[in-house]
mmCIF file of all heavy atoms in Angstrom:
data_model
loop_
_atom_site.group_PDB
_atom_site.id
_atom_site.type_symbol
_atom_site.label_atom_id
_atom_site.label_comp_id
_atom_site.label_asym_id
_atom_site.label_seq_id
_atom_site.Cartn_x
_atom_site.Cartn_y
_atom_site.Cartn_z
ATOM 1 N N ASP U 1 31.087 -196.357 64.553
ATOM 2 C CA ASP U 1 29.923 -195.383 64.055
ATOM 3 C C ASP U 1 28.737 -195.587 64.822
ATOM 4 O O ASP U 1 28.503 -196.773 65.523
ATOM 5 C CB ASP U 1 29.708 -195.895 62.586
ATOM 6 C CG ASP U 1 30.626 -195.190 61.662
ATOM 7 O OD1 ASP U 1 31.621 -194.586 61.926
ATOM 8 O OD2 ASP U 1 30.320 -195.395 60.353
ATOM 9 N N SER U 2 27.733 -194.719 64.748
ATOM 10 C CA SER U 2 26.422 -194.938 65.318
ATOM 11 C C SER U 2 25.494 -194.089 64.438
ATOM 12 O O SER U 2 25.944 -193.468 63.484
ATOM 13 C CB SER U 2 26.422 -194.442 66.723
ATOM 14 O OG SER U 2 25.183 -194.691 67.241
ATOM 15 N N PHE U 3 24.173 -194.332 64.604
ATOM 16 C CA PHE U 3 23.194 -193.572 63.859
ATOM 17 C C PHE U 3 21.870 -193.508 64.665
ATOM 18 O O PHE U 3 21.746 -194.137 65.770
ATOM 19 C CB PHE U 3 22.847 -194.437 62.537
ATOM 20 C CG PHE U 3 22.085 -195.730 62.876
ATOM 21 C CD1 PHE U 3 20.675 -195.758 62.832
ATOM 22 C CD2 PHE U 3 22.748 -196.887 62.940
ATOM 23 C CE1 PHE U 3 20.043 -197.058 63.120
ATOM 24 C CE2 PHE U 3 22.088 -198.076 63.398
ATOM 25 C CZ PHE U 3 20.759 -198.135 63.279
ATOM 26 N N CYS U 4 21.040 -192.739 64.206
ATOM 27 C CA CYS U 4 19.701 -192.549 64.745
ATOM 28 C C CYS U 4 18.633 -192.211 63.675
ATOM 29 O O CYS U 4 19.106 -191.652 62.603
ATOM 30 C CB CYS U 4 19.627 -191.592 65.931
ATOM 31 S SG CYS U 4 20.032 -189.971 65.594
ATOM 32 N N CYS U 5 17.407 -192.499 63.744
ATOM 33 C CA CYS U 5 16.441 -192.236 62.826
ATOM 34 C C CYS U 5 15.068 -192.398 63.558
ATOM 35 O O CYS U 5 15.008 -193.152 64.414
ATOM 36 C CB CYS U 5 16.473 -193.068 61.644
ATOM 37 S SG CYS U 5 16.315 -194.847 61.863
ATOM 38 N N SER U 6 14.144 -191.378 63.087
ATOM 39 C CA SER U 6 12.837 -191.435 63.834
ATOM 40 C C SER U 6 11.845 -190.629 62.951
ATOM 41 O O SER U 6 12.202 -189.735 62.196
ATOM 42 C CB SER U 6 12.950 -190.853 65.177
ATOM 43 O OG SER U 6 11.689 -191.001 65.848
ATOM 44 N N CYS U 7 10.577 -191.010 63.130
ATOM 45 C CA CYS U 7 9.437 -190.209 62.488
ATOM 46 C C CYS U 7 8.421 -189.959 63.622
ATOM 47 O O CYS U 7 8.103 -190.919 64.457
ATOM 48 C CB CYS U 7 8.841 -190.863 61.363
ATOM 49 S SG CYS U 7 7.507 -190.020 60.610
ATOM 50 N N LEU U 8 7.996 -188.751 63.841
ATOM 51 C CA LEU U 8 7.089 -188.462 64.896
ATOM 52 C C LEU U 8 5.707 -189.080 64.531
ATOM 53 O O LEU U 8 5.287 -189.110 63.329
ATOM 54 C CB LEU U 8 6.924 -186.899 65.048
ATOM 55 C CG LEU U 8 8.154 -186.230 65.671
ATOM 56 C CD1 LEU U 8 7.932 -184.769 65.841
ATOM 57 C CD2 LEU U 8 8.519 -186.861 66.896
ATOM 58 N N PRO U 9 4.951 -189.370 65.462
ATOM 59 C CA PRO U 9 3.589 -190.019 65.288
ATOM 60 C C PRO U 9 2.635 -189.164 64.511
ATOM 61 O O PRO U 9 1.879 -189.693 63.757
ATOM 62 C CB PRO U 9 2.955 -190.284 66.732
ATOM 63 C CG PRO U 9 4.318 -190.348 67.597
ATOM 64 C CD PRO U 9 5.333 -189.418 66.878
ATOM 65 N N ALA U 10 2.801 -187.691 64.680
ATOM 66 C CA ALA U 10 1.927 -186.878 63.910
ATOM 67 C C ALA U 10 2.123 -187.008 62.367
ATOM 68 O O ALA U 10 1.392 -186.528 61.542
ATOM 69 C CB ALA U 10 2.134 -185.438 64.340
ATOM 70 N N GLY U 11 3.364 -187.555 61.924
ATOM 71 C CA GLY U 11 3.576 -187.861 60.639
ATOM 72 C C GLY U 11 4.000 -186.598 59.696
ATOM 73 O O GLY U 11 3.953 -186.725 58.557
ATOM 74 N N ASP U 12 4.529 -185.498 60.448
ATOM 75 C CA ASP U 12 4.936 -184.365 59.654
ATOM 76 C C ASP U 12 6.413 -184.145 59.678
ATOM 77 O O ASP U 12 6.984 -183.255 59.068
ATOM 78 C CB ASP U 12 4.180 -183.166 60.023
ATOM 79 C CG ASP U 12 4.419 -182.731 61.517
ATOM 80 O OD1 ASP U 12 5.019 -183.473 62.178
ATOM 81 O OD2 ASP U 12 4.080 -181.540 61.778
ATOM 82 N N SER U 13 7.178 -184.913 60.494
ATOM 83 C CA SER U 13 8.545 -184.711 60.565
ATOM 84 C C SER U 13 9.362 -185.989 60.741
ATOM 85 O O SER U 13 8.813 -186.866 61.429
ATOM 86 C CB SER U 13 8.943 -183.801 61.871
ATOM 87 O OG SER U 13 8.301 -182.508 61.642
ATOM 88 N N ALA U 14 10.507 -186.089 60.206
ATOM 89 C CA ALA U 14 11.350 -187.265 60.388
ATOM 90 C C ALA U 14 12.832 -186.819 60.590
ATOM 91 O O ALA U 14 13.183 -185.711 60.081
ATOM 92 C CB ALA U 14 11.245 -188.250 59.157
ATOM 93 N N MET U 15 13.628 -187.643 61.151
ATOM 94 C CA MET U 15 15.055 -187.267 61.436
ATOM 95 C C MET U 15 15.993 -188.407 61.144
ATOM 96 O O MET U 15 15.560 -189.618 61.433
ATOM 97 C CB MET U 15 15.140 -186.956 62.974
ATOM 98 C CG MET U 15 16.490 -186.614 63.543
ATOM 99 S SD MET U 15 17.471 -188.131 64.056
ATOM 100 C CE MET U 15 16.379 -188.752 65.312
ATOM 101 N N ILE U 16 17.110 -188.074 60.503
ATOM 102 C CA ILE U 16 18.166 -189.084 60.432
ATOM 103 C C ILE U 16 19.450 -188.434 60.853
ATOM 104 O O ILE U 16 19.660 -187.255 60.901
ATOM 105 C CB ILE U 16 18.332 -189.469 58.915
ATOM 106 C CG1 ILE U 16 18.593 -188.318 57.997
ATOM 107 C CG2 ILE U 16 17.148 -190.301 58.521
ATOM 108 C CD1 ILE U 16 18.884 -188.705 56.561
ATOM 109 N N GLY U 17 20.430 -189.318 61.356
ATOM 110 C CA GLY U 17 21.683 -188.863 61.849
ATOM 111 C C GLY U 17 22.771 -189.962 61.665
ATOM 112 O O GLY U 17 22.492 -191.150 61.866
ATOM 113 N N ALA U 18 24.001 -189.614 61.331
ATOM 114 C CA ALA U 18 25.110 -190.413 61.192
ATOM 115 C C ALA U 18 26.249 -189.906 62.075
ATOM 116 O O ALA U 18 26.400 -188.615 62.003
ATOM 117 C CB ALA U 18 25.537 -190.690 59.762
ATOM 118 N N PHE U 19 26.924 -190.778 62.726
ATOM 119 C CA PHE U 19 27.874 -190.246 63.742
ATOM 120 C C PHE U 19 29.046 -191.225 63.726
ATOM 121 O O PHE U 19 29.040 -192.406 63.751
ATOM 122 C CB PHE U 19 27.250 -190.365 65.149
ATOM 123 C CG PHE U 19 26.014 -189.565 65.291
ATOM 124 C CD1 PHE U 19 24.780 -190.396 65.002
ATOM 125 C CD2 PHE U 19 25.912 -188.337 65.727
ATOM 126 C CE1 PHE U 19 23.652 -189.682 65.038
ATOM 127 C CE2 PHE U 19 24.753 -187.764 65.838
ATOM 128 C CZ PHE U 19 23.550 -188.373 65.369
ATOM 129 N N ASP U 20 30.317 -190.620 63.598
ATOM 130 C CA ASP U 20 31.517 -191.422 63.397
ATOM 131 C C ASP U 20 32.446 -191.095 64.621
ATOM 132 O O ASP U 20 33.049 -190.055 64.738
ATOM 133 C CB ASP U 20 32.237 -190.916 62.106
ATOM 134 C CG ASP U 20 33.479 -191.751 61.798
ATOM 135 O OD1 ASP U 20 33.903 -192.558 62.603
ATOM 136 O OD2 ASP U 20 34.020 -191.525 60.662
ATOM 137 N N GLY U 21 32.562 -192.007 65.464
ATOM 138 C CA GLY U 21 33.413 -191.918 66.558
ATOM 139 C C GLY U 21 34.756 -191.778 66.077
ATOM 140 O O GLY U 21 35.306 -192.639 65.284
ATOM 141 N N CYS U 22 35.620 -190.743 66.544
ATOM 142 C CA CYS U 22 36.948 -190.560 65.999
ATOM 143 C C CYS U 22 37.947 -191.472 66.579
ATOM 144 O O CYS U 22 38.490 -191.138 67.775
ATOM 145 C CB CYS U 22 37.280 -189.109 66.295
ATOM 146 S SG CYS U 22 36.137 -187.985 65.674
ATOM 147 N N GLY U 23 38.257 -192.533 65.945
ATOM 148 C CA GLY U 23 39.027 -193.594 66.460
ATOM 149 C C GLY U 23 40.438 -193.332 66.794
ATOM 150 O O GLY U 23 41.216 -193.991 67.614
ATOM 151 N N GLY U 24 41.048 -192.361 66.182
ATOM 152 C CA GLY U 24 42.450 -191.959 66.470
ATOM 153 C C GLY U 24 42.541 -191.217 67.830
ATOM 154 O O GLY U 24 43.123 -191.754 68.820
ATOM 155 N N ALA U 25 41.910 -190.183 68.011
ATOM 156 C CA ALA U 25 41.870 -189.269 69.139
ATOM 157 C C ALA U 25 41.103 -190.050 70.291
ATOM 158 O O ALA U 25 41.356 -189.724 71.416
ATOM 159 C CB ALA U 25 41.365 -187.931 68.917
ATOM 160 N N GLY U 26 40.156 -190.855 69.859
ATOM 161 C CA GLY U 26 39.294 -191.620 70.828
ATOM 162 C C GLY U 26 39.537 -192.980 70.966
ATOM 163 O O GLY U 26 38.721 -193.748 71.259
ATOM 164 N N SER U 27 40.914 -193.433 70.779
ATOM 165 C CA SER U 27 41.161 -194.857 70.735
ATOM 166 C C SER U 27 41.344 -195.474 72.137
ATOM 167 O O SER U 27 41.488 -196.603 72.280
ATOM 168 C CB SER U 27 42.416 -195.113 69.994
ATOM 169 O OG SER U 27 43.507 -194.368 70.489
ATOM 170 N N GLN U 28 41.558 -194.595 73.114
ATOM 171 C CA GLN U 28 41.684 -195.063 74.438
ATOM 172 C C GLN U 28 40.441 -195.858 75.040
ATOM 173 O O GLN U 28 39.284 -195.441 74.838
ATOM 174 C CB GLN U 28 41.839 -193.930 75.566
ATOM 175 C CG GLN U 28 42.107 -194.357 76.913
ATOM 176 C CD GLN U 28 42.678 -193.192 77.798
ATOM 177 O OE1 GLN U 28 43.557 -192.405 77.331
ATOM 178 N NE2 GLN U 28 42.313 -193.192 79.097
ATOM 179 N N SER U 29 40.622 -196.942 75.621
ATOM 180 C CA SER U 29 39.536 -197.831 76.133
ATOM 181 C C SER U 29 39.303 -197.669 77.570
ATOM 182 O O SER U 29 40.289 -197.247 78.284
ATOM 183 C CB SER U 29 39.725 -199.226 75.784
ATOM 184 O OG SER U 29 40.975 -199.734 76.343
ATOM 185 N N TYR U 30 38.224 -197.989 78.041
ATOM 186 C CA TYR U 30 37.884 -197.677 79.580
ATOM 187 C C TYR U 30 37.338 -198.915 80.143
ATOM 188 O O TYR U 30 36.315 -199.352 79.690
ATOM 189 C CB TYR U 30 36.855 -196.513 79.605
ATOM 190 C CG TYR U 30 37.412 -195.217 79.017
ATOM 191 C CD1 TYR U 30 37.145 -194.940 77.622
ATOM 192 C CD2 TYR U 30 38.161 -194.287 79.716
ATOM 193 C CE1 TYR U 30 37.569 -193.746 77.043
ATOM 194 C CE2 TYR U 30 38.745 -193.146 79.185
ATOM 195 C CZ TYR U 30 38.365 -192.957 77.889
ATOM 196 O OH TYR U 30 38.852 -191.728 77.187
ATOM 197 N N LYS U 31 37.990 -199.421 81.195
ATOM 198 C CA LYS U 31 37.658 -200.605 81.980
ATOM 199 C C LYS U 31 36.188 -200.405 82.589
ATOM 200 O O LYS U 31 35.305 -201.299 82.561
ATOM 201 C CB LYS U 31 38.490 -200.968 82.989
ATOM 202 C CG LYS U 31 39.967 -201.426 82.475
ATOM 203 C CD LYS U 31 40.908 -201.791 83.606
ATOM 204 C CE LYS U 31 42.192 -202.215 83.155
ATOM 205 N NZ LYS U 31 43.097 -202.568 84.200
ATOM 206 N N SER U 32 35.957 -199.193 82.977
ATOM 207 C CA SER U 32 34.611 -198.883 83.631
ATOM 208 C C SER U 32 33.544 -198.946 82.619
ATOM 209 O O SER U 32 32.320 -198.918 83.137
ATOM 210 C CB SER U 32 34.653 -197.599 84.309
ATOM 211 O OG SER U 32 35.000 -196.483 83.373
ATOM 212 N N LEU U 33 33.741 -198.942 81.324
ATOM 213 C CA LEU U 33 32.801 -198.881 80.213
ATOM 214 C C LEU U 33 32.934 -200.186 79.449
ATOM 215 O O LEU U 33 32.932 -200.064 78.149
ATOM 216 C CB LEU U 33 32.816 -197.675 79.477
ATOM 217 C CG LEU U 33 32.498 -196.330 80.227
ATOM 218 C CD1 LEU U 33 32.818 -195.178 79.420
ATOM 219 C CD2 LEU U 33 31.100 -196.421 80.558
ATOM 220 N N SER U 34 33.059 -201.351 79.991
ATOM 221 C CA SER U 34 33.307 -202.574 79.375
ATOM 222 C C SER U 34 34.511 -202.625 78.283
ATOM 223 O O SER U 34 34.328 -203.501 77.419
ATOM 224 C CB SER U 34 31.881 -202.961 78.643
ATOM 225 O OG SER U 34 30.873 -202.993 79.688
ATOM 226 N N GLY U 35 35.395 -201.863 78.448
ATOM 227 C CA GLY U 35 36.542 -201.776 77.562
ATOM 228 C C GLY U 35 36.380 -201.171 76.265
ATOM 229 O O GLY U 35 37.092 -201.251 75.418
ATOM 230 N N LYS U 36 35.184 -200.424 76.096
ATOM 231 C CA LYS U 36 34.943 -199.791 74.980
ATOM 232 C C LYS U 36 35.797 -198.492 74.801
ATOM 233 O O LYS U 36 36.154 -197.883 75.724
ATOM 234 C CB LYS U 36 33.411 -199.266 74.889
ATOM 235 C CG LYS U 36 32.481 -200.526 74.976
ATOM 236 C CD LYS U 36 32.638 -201.403 73.869
ATOM 237 C CE LYS U 36 31.646 -202.613 73.763
ATOM 238 N NZ LYS U 36 31.689 -203.475 72.583
ATOM 239 N N THR U 37 36.159 -198.095 73.545
ATOM 240 C CA THR U 37 36.880 -196.900 73.301
ATOM 241 C C THR U 37 36.043 -195.632 73.596
ATOM 242 O O THR U 37 34.767 -195.632 73.499
ATOM 243 C CB THR U 37 37.473 -196.929 71.944
ATOM 244 O OG1 THR U 37 36.406 -196.789 71.042
ATOM 245 C CG2 THR U 37 38.242 -198.177 71.691
ATOM 246 N N GLY U 38 36.802 -194.489 73.674
ATOM 247 C CA GLY U 38 36.200 -193.297 73.768
ATOM 248 C C GLY U 38 35.330 -192.968 72.508
ATOM 249 O O GLY U 38 34.262 -192.364 72.512
ATOM 250 N N ALA U 39 35.822 -193.401 71.338
ATOM 251 C CA ALA U 39 35.148 -193.106 70.042
ATOM 252 C C ALA U 39 33.851 -193.729 70.057
ATOM 253 O O ALA U 39 32.757 -193.364 69.559
ATOM 254 C CB ALA U 39 35.980 -193.553 68.909
ATOM 255 N N TYR U 40 33.778 -195.070 70.424
ATOM 256 C CA TYR U 40 32.692 -195.885 70.545
ATOM 257 C C TYR U 40 31.599 -195.284 71.503
ATOM 258 O O TYR U 40 30.469 -195.161 71.109
ATOM 259 C CB TYR U 40 33.044 -197.390 71.073
ATOM 260 C CG TYR U 40 31.824 -198.263 71.173
ATOM 261 C CD1 TYR U 40 31.491 -199.194 70.287
ATOM 262 C CD2 TYR U 40 31.045 -198.229 72.381
ATOM 263 C CE1 TYR U 40 30.583 -200.168 70.462
ATOM 264 C CE2 TYR U 40 29.953 -199.151 72.557
ATOM 265 C CZ TYR U 40 29.773 -200.111 71.477
ATOM 266 O OH TYR U 40 28.626 -200.923 71.790
#
């Protein structure tokens, strides 16, 4: 999983997000990326 959140300095807008790396289809790991999976 990953997430992001932010509020602009002007104070009139904010953002949230949630992201779920798909571990089945993205279960392959990559040596060039420190062994992390495609989902990660």
Side-chain angles (χ1 to χ4, degrees):
D1 279 8
S2 188
F3 70 89
C4 59
C5 56
S6 182
C7 182
L8 292 181
D12 65 347
S13 298
M15 175 273 296
I16 57 174
F19 309 84
D20 185 353
C22 303
S27 60
Q28 183 168 323
S29 59
Y30 301 93
K31 293 180 179 179
S32 59
L33 295 170
S34 303
K36 300 300 185 183
T37 65
Y40 177 100

